[in-house]
Amino acid sequence: MRQSFHLSPRAVNILPRARQAARPAPGLPRPVPHPSAAGRLLASGADTVTLGAIAGGCNFIASYPMSPSTPVLTGLAQRSHEFGIVVEQAEDEIAAINMALGAWYAGGRAMVTTSGGGFALMGEGVSLAACTETPIVIHLAQRPGPATGLPTRTEQGDLNLALHAGHGEFPRAIYAPGTIEEGFTLTRRAFETADRWQVPAFVLTDQYFIDSYYDIARLPLPARPLPNRIARTSADYRRYALTRDGLSPRGIPGLGEGTVAVDSDEHTEEGYITESSHVRRSMVHKRLARLARLRAEALRPRRVGPPSADTLALCWGSTFHAVREALEGLGRRDIAMLHFVQVYPFNPGVVRQLAAARKLVVIEGNATGQFARLLRAELGVDADAAVRKYDGHPLTVEEVAGALERHAAGTRGKRGTR
Amino acid sequence: MSALDRPGVDIAWCPGCGNFQILAALKKALAELGLSPQQVVVVSGIGQAPKTPQYFRTNMFNGLHGRALPVALGVKAANPELTVIAEGGDGDMYGEGGNHFLHTIRRNPDITHLVHNNMVYGLTKGQASPTSPVGFKTPVQVDGVSSEPVNPLAVALAQHASLVARAFSGDPDRTAEVIKRAILHKGYALVDILQPCVTFNKVNTFKWFRENSYYLDDSYRPTDRAEAFRLATASGKMALGVLFAEQRPTWEQQLAPYRDDPRPLHERSVDTARLAGAVERLRVVG
């Protein structure tokens, strides 16, 4: 089978072997590919997130090892000399995100990679990124919680955490790759979003996505590097100069005649501590103003299936292939899918995409329907039915197909089925 | 007015606070080293001491409580040409940020670490700090502190810090000399600066610090770590000056990007041909 995605991920053996068919980065165990994959690229989710980060200009990573996020740290370390990347294993996740913010502040392009428990420790750092308007890219590879949970298994249980981490009110963007290629394109995009809008940008994956290997035809390599959006400062530079869209040119220390003051305290346009109510209001508006821009450029979900379908299976992130293959297997004219590669904020066009359907079934890998609740909170859309899995294993094609058959057979337009 | 001044700045410290003299000492040190505000980054946390970079002209990253050192590491790694100073108080650096203190020393980055040590929490109004003496009574420690105070110099020496010093805010000129030495030192340099808190510490006062400290004399050579450790752990008066210094490779010079290219990260961009090569290495050889 040479077509991509015709089958579920190719059966691969991820145990280390002395001899490996693909030429691996030194020290990393690689799978032994099926002979039919000859001539194609064999990549894991971790590979494409790693390469997408490099494509995004990543030259700094600080992280604390935590399954299943570590392969991205390893992947960048393996390529650190080739691409000139600072790699620092931090003493804890708090240090990791603060190092990354220091790097961005001084002109680097930094990311952290972590999982739920580690990311919980980074919460204050996310808030610091927002207040100082320092870009940050966060790769959050989910595993089942609470606490240590099932450390080597998978879940989509940290959507709420990614949405709400960090005290105070501020915008963010959250991408969730479904295909292995999207690990590349969305991680690169996260760098562009973080830099352009000076906000935290998340790549939300999970153990299943990170550790799965696919053979693919190509990765969409960019012709040019992303622009590094930093400004040479003038003597009267003000880091938080008020502008219409809330964005101030981002100077860095040592580049220009000015000095760059950033502050986790509420601050003036110059970046110094203030208690002024007037300044406070203007800075709140400044930080929140870019949410509209983030919405406008948010990636729209991808629709797969017959145009005539009036039942929509809604899913996000790593469940893409299971849902797509289930729909193909069912072959029904009345069911299509909508897969979200960006889960926050939503593109305003999503409302129209959903309005056309008579029945919405939300499929996700958690117990409480976090994405369904997000749809309701953000768009006022109530799902008619839910398919949820939270036993630590990825959704299977059979599970999705069975559930969709049941729900599609039910009374149309009736709300609230579970 | 010097280039380091911020005219008209409203300073929140209490009259008589030791921070004023530390601010003066730091500005004097920077001026005498000929460092411009553009070349220096002061990273600080939260507390009264971390407000210091708010009050003079410099690049400033005033971050979270306890987290100045990791931010400073990120700054230094992104641009090793910058003079990076991490500044805060005893609660900020030895309490909330204690883990970063241990691990930053291990790395030996070329960062100057200034810790204003007044043995009390000032910003939060008078609770015990990690360096408060046993028996110190506060509105929270109503029976007096029972934990042993952190000995920052001994900890730094145990972790093999490449420069360890102590200063006293009451002597801004001598403090400026120690800070200059720390900035010129290529590697991690701790300067623990004793400082009275006129409002919340009625035990460790200006007079108390004066009577309980002494300067190492000019014949002292800070090359013997064991001797420095003996001084740091000795009971009685506290030694002031540079207790220990030695040259070792710095953290940042060993980082992958700087092995054969001194340019800071902002002057670089990804080599797309090389990226294509890295992708090509994923190709399965038939």
Side-chain angles (χ1 to χ4, degrees), chain A residues 387-404:
Chain A
V387 180
R388 297 172 186 165
K389 187 165 181 182
Y390 39 85
D391 65 359
H393 296 272
L395 275 156
T396 66
V397 172
E398 294 75 13
E399 286 166 338
V400 175
L404 283 178

Side-chain angles (χ1 to χ4, degrees), chain A residues 25 76 89 91 115 152 244 269 272 283 295 336 352 398 404:
Chain A
L76 286 166
Q89 183 173 319
E91 56 269 28
S115 187
T152 62
R244 272 171 48 156
E269 289 181 80
Y272 294 109
M283 287 298 156
R295 276 205 180 99
R352 268 198 316 282
E398 294 75 13
L404 283 178

Side-chain angles (χ1 to χ4, degrees), chain B:
Chain B
M1 188 186 105
S2 93
L4 292 162
D5 289 337
R6 277 195 66 214
V9 66
D10 182 21
I11 296 186
W13 295 327
C14 305
C17 177
N19 283 331
F20 285 100
Q21 289 164 301
I22 299 174
L23 170 62
L26 176 57
K27 286 172 72 174
K28 184 169 194 281
L30 294 172
E32 290 181 6
L33 291 173
L35 288 166
S36 73
Q38 289 80 4
Q39 289 171 283
V40 177
V41 178
V42 180
V43 182
S44 67
I46 297 299
Q48 291 296 358
K51 290 178 183 170
T52 305
Q54 304 262 357
Y55 302 144
F56 72 102
R57 185 144 191 257
T58 177
N59 294 296
M60 173 186 88
F61 192 119
N62 191 174
L64 301 173
H65 187 52
R67 315 305 169 196
L69 284 171
V71 172
L73 284 164
V75 172
K76 193 70 187 176
N79 188 351
E81 293 167 9
L82 296 166
T83 295
V84 180
I85 296 168
E87 186 166 22
D90 38 322
D92 197 28
M93 295 295 190
Y94 303 146
E96 189 88 9
N99 199 26
H100 312 312
F101 176 47
L102 289 182
H103 292 277
T104 301
I105 296 171
R106 291 177 52 218
R107 296 180 175 101
N108 195 38
D110 185 12
I111 289 172
T112 301
H113 190 191
L114 304 180
V115 187
H116 305 206
N117 183 358
N118 59 10
M119 306 179 178
V120 73
Y121 279 54
L123 188 77
T124 54
K125 301 187 174 66
Q127 303 81 21
S129 95
T131 53
S132 296
V134 170
F136 186 72
K137 286 193 177 181
T138 83
V140 173
Q141 287 76 24
V142 292
D143 299 318
V145 169
S146 62
S147 301
E148 279 296 317
V150 168
N151 183 331
L153 275 63
V155 170
L157 286 161
Q159 292 300 112
H160 212 144
S162 67
L163 187 146
V164 178
R166 183 156 50 203
F168 172 46
S169 68
D171 302 318
D173 288 350
R174 299 186 84 155
T175 298
E177 288 305 313
V178 174
I179 292 173
K180 277 162 68 177
R181 182 109 181 252
I183 291 172
L184 289 173
H185 175 75
K186 290 287 172 213
Y188 171 85
L190 171 67
V191 186
D192 181 76
I193 308 172
L194 302 174
Q195 168 215 6
C197 173
V198 294
T199 304
F200 296 110
N201 190 338
K202 305 298 187 188
V203 177
N204 310 105
T205 59
F206 186 93
K207 184 163 174 282
W208 185 91
F209 281 119
R210 182 68 83 200
E211 289 171 354
N212 285 278
S213 65
Y214 68 99
Y215 282 92
L216 294 166
D217 66 51
D218 292 344
S219 65
Y220 180 78
R221 292 287 167 267
T223 51
D224 182 342
R225 188 162 156 239
E227 174 61 11
F229 197 79
R230 191 190 66 75
L231 290 171
T233 51
S235 56
K237 292 186 175 188
M238 294 176 283
L240 299 171
V242 177
L243 276 71
F244 180 73
E246 106 181 347
Q247 286 301 323
R248 287 208 305 277
T250 65
W251 172 70
E252 63 277 6
Q253 71 190 190
Q254 298 172 80
L255 296 171
Y258 304 114
R259 292 291 176 93
D260 47 21
D261 184 351
R263 289 177 304 156
L265 297 185
H266 72 84
E267 291 180 17
R268 308 175 186 217
S269 62
V270 63
D271 182 333
T272 49
R274 208 171 264 189
L275 175 61
V279 169
E280 197 52 35
R281 284 204 299 276
L282 299 175
R283 198 169 297 284
V284 177
V285 179

Side-chain angles (χ1 to χ4, degrees), chain A residues 240-321:
Chain A
Y240 302 105
L242 293 172
T243 59
R244 272 171 48 156
D245 61 2
L247 283 176
S248 321
R250 191 167 67 84
I252 60 171
L255 186 68
E257 302 304 308
T259 48
V260 182
V262 303
D263 200 344
S264 72
D265 293 284
E266 191 58 276
H267 40 256
T268 60
E269 289 181 80
E270 292 77 14
Y272 294 109
I273 186 169
T274 184
E275 295 252 306
S276 157
S277 303
H278 170 72
V279 174
R280 163 68 181 176
R281 279 193 300 275
S282 61
M283 287 298 156
V284 170
H285 298 158
K286 177 187 199 306
R287 288 188 287 269
L288 296 179
R290 61 200 75 171
L291 183 57
R293 305 290 295 272
L294 285 167
R295 276 205 180 99
E297 69 157 33
L299 297 168
R300 293 170 68 137
R302 149 180 54 197
R303 189 188 156 110
V304 181
S308 58
D310 58 4
T311 293
L312 272 182
L314 308 181
C315 60
W316 60 280
S318 70
T319 57
F320 172 74
H321 285 304

